[in-house]
Amino acid sequence: MVDVASEKQAGRQTADDCRPRRCCESGDGTRRGSAVGRGSYVEPALLAALSVSAGHGYDLARAIEEMTDGEVVPDAGGLYRILRRLEEDGFVTSEWQEGDSGPQRRSYQITADGRALLAHWMVHLEERRRTLDVLIDVVRSVSSSADADTDQGRQ
Amino acid sequence: MVDVASEKQAGRQTADDCRPRRCCESGDGTRRGSAVGRGSYVEPALLAALSVSAGHGYDLARAIEEMTDGEVVPDAGGLYRILRRLEEDGFVTSEWQEGDSGPQRRSYQITADGRALLAHWMVHLEERRRTLDVLIDVVRSVSSSADADTDQGRQ
DNA sequence: TCTTCTATATGTCATATACATATACTGTAC
DNA sequence: GTACAGTATATGTATATGACATATAGAAGA
């Protein structure tokens, strides 16, 4: 298994490299990909949990569930994938915890870039809420007046 | 090209067949799929637009943009795919408009099942807003108190 | 021994969005 | 008449995500 953490530690990321790409754009500069700027509750939740304190994956999942009153329950598989990608991009760092009983734990810590990414996520989450508010209003308004006019069509 | 509309018109869908699957579950009964119950702004917007009045794809796109004050701007390609799938499942019907100048237009109409689906979408949209609200509150609260405690870790 | 809990990880599937293109018809500017 | 813009439908492709299944391994208890 490759120790991504120590590999990264050598070539540290500079502030200029910090493009918060996940919540803005895809790797190739386009906006392709399902939840680019739309879905994805887990990544910001993860960054928020790490912002409070460092921890390992399994524990972070429980922290997220607790923080959000059970509204966000991350999938374990997805969680570890997201953590590794966050690390690849320098938003978190990790190291194997030593001297523990039980299965091995990889402890994650958020970086300054990670905090910046979380702040950037906030912008998108609020944007998304605005969209959702508008859409809900529209759906509600057309649903309430659906009985009145049914058979008229656009040209 | 296959005329799905007339094919469907023969074997009409009953009320029991109306499982609002897109916003609840995938075709196979699981919850697999990106935005199952999460993403997808376009489908409910489309059903809302069709709920106001029938129309063809290109026109519905503009109607959605107008209704939502530019918050939802559907991709043309995706729009037609969604419309065809809605038709496959009996939530809309369609027919080629005749006697028009310009390129051919396929006009879509919402069905009773489609209106039921829209009502069901509403439940999920509001659920999503609740989740989003909680997440935004969490992110905001951890961001504001991020300066205080930085170096403490979970066990 | 078997089961359960903790912990990390990979594989697979379906979906949504974004973007690039292809096509065809119409009207207009040059 | 040709090129271009607008209207209209449609397919191809890339990618991220979430949901689910599964594999692995250590530790604790029945």
Side-chain angles (χ1 to χ4, degrees):
Chain A
M1 198 172 290
V2 186
D3 192 347
V4 188
S6 52
E7 282 175 357
K8 272 279 155 181
Q9 221 126 23
R12 275 277 295 143
Q13 207 178 28
T14 67
D16 301 282
D17 294 326
C18 176
R19 295 175 310 138
R21 49 168 262 247
R22 263 178 216 76
C23 49
C24 296
E25 53 181 52
S26 188
D28 55 356
T30 68
R31 297 180 134 271
R32 260 181 273 113
S34 151
V36 179
R38 318 234 85 161
S40 184
Y41 290 129
V42 179
E43 184 175 299
L46 209 40
L47 289 168
L50 282 168
S51 183
V52 173
S53 82
H56 59 277
Y58 197 85
D59 195 35
L60 289 166
R62 283 185 303 200
I64 288 169
E65 196 173 341
E66 200 190 320
M67 285 170 96
T68 62
D69 282 314
E71 286 287 337
V72 179
V73 184
D75 175 68
L79 191 94
Y80 292 111
R81 269 187 274 247
I82 290 172
L83 280 170
R84 258 173 300 150
R85 255 221 342 208
L86 283 170
E87 181 164 34
E88 273 174 49
D89 295 347
F91 299 118
V92 305
T93 57
S94 82
E95 47 191 10
W96 286 107
Q97 258 178 284
E98 289 176 67
D100 282 325
S101 67
Q104 277 205 295
R105 296 169 174 179
R106 186 184 272 278
S107 182
Y108 288 90
Q109 276 180 274
I110 195 167
T111 64
D113 287 355
R115 289 187 195 278
L117 178 59
L118 181 58
H120 200 92
W121 258 114
M122 193 66 180
V123 177
H124 289 283
L125 291 175
E126 283 178 332
E127 197 177 288
R128 227 157 100 196
R129 179 160 62 176
R130 210 161 43 242
T131 302
L132 203 47
D133 282 342
V134 170
L135 186 58
I136 286 172
D137 285 349
V138 166
V139 173
R140 204 191 329 262
S141 77
V142 303
S143 296
S144 61
S145 63
D147 332 290
D149 42 65
T150 312
D151 304 85
Q152 107 194 27
R154 286 192 193 85
Q155 298 308 314
Chain B
M1 197 173 290
V2 187
D3 191 348
V4 188
S6 51
E7 280 174 358
K8 272 279 156 181
Q9 220 126 22
R12 274 279 294 144
Q13 206 178 29
T14 66
D16 300 281
D17 295 326
C18 177
R19 294 176 309 140
R21 50 168 259 248
R22 262 178 216 76
C23 48
C24 297
E25 53 180 51
S26 187
D28 56 355
T30 67
R31 297 180 134 269
R32 260 183 273 115
S34 152
V36 180
R38 317 234 87 160
S40 185
Y41 289 130
V42 178
E43 185 175 297
L46 209 40
L47 289 168
L50 282 167
S51 183
V52 173
S53 82
H56 59 278
Y58 196 85
D59 195 34
L60 289 165
R62 284 185 304 200
I64 288 169
E65 196 172 340
E66 201 190 320
M67 285 169 96
T68 62
D69 281 314
E71 286 287 337
V72 179
V73 183
D75 175 66
L79 191 94
Y80 292 111
R81 269 187 274 247
I82 291 171
L83 280 170
R84 258 174 299 152
R85 255 217 346 206
L86 283 170
E87 181 164 34
E88 273 174 49
D89 296 346
F91 299 118
V92 304
T93 58
S94 81
E95 48 190 11
W96 286 107
Q97 258 178 285
E98 289 176 68
D100 282 325
S101 67
Q104 277 204 295
R105 296 170 174 177
R106 186 183 272 278
S107 181
Y108 288 89
Q109 276 179 274
I110 195 168
T111 65
D113 286 354
R115 290 187 194 279
L117 178 59
L118 180 59
H120 200 91
W121 257 114
M122 193 65 181
V123 178
H124 289 282
L125 291 175
E126 283 178 331
E127 197 177 290
R128 226 158 99 197
R129 178 161 63 177
R130 209 161 45 242
T131 302
L132 202 47
D133 281 341
V134 170
L135 185 58
I136 286 172
D137 285 348
V138 166
V139 173
R140 202 191 332 263
S141 77
V142 303
S143 295
S144 61
S145 63
D147 334 288
D149 42 68
T150 312
D151 304 82
Q152 106 193 28
R154 286 191 193 85
Q155 298 309 315

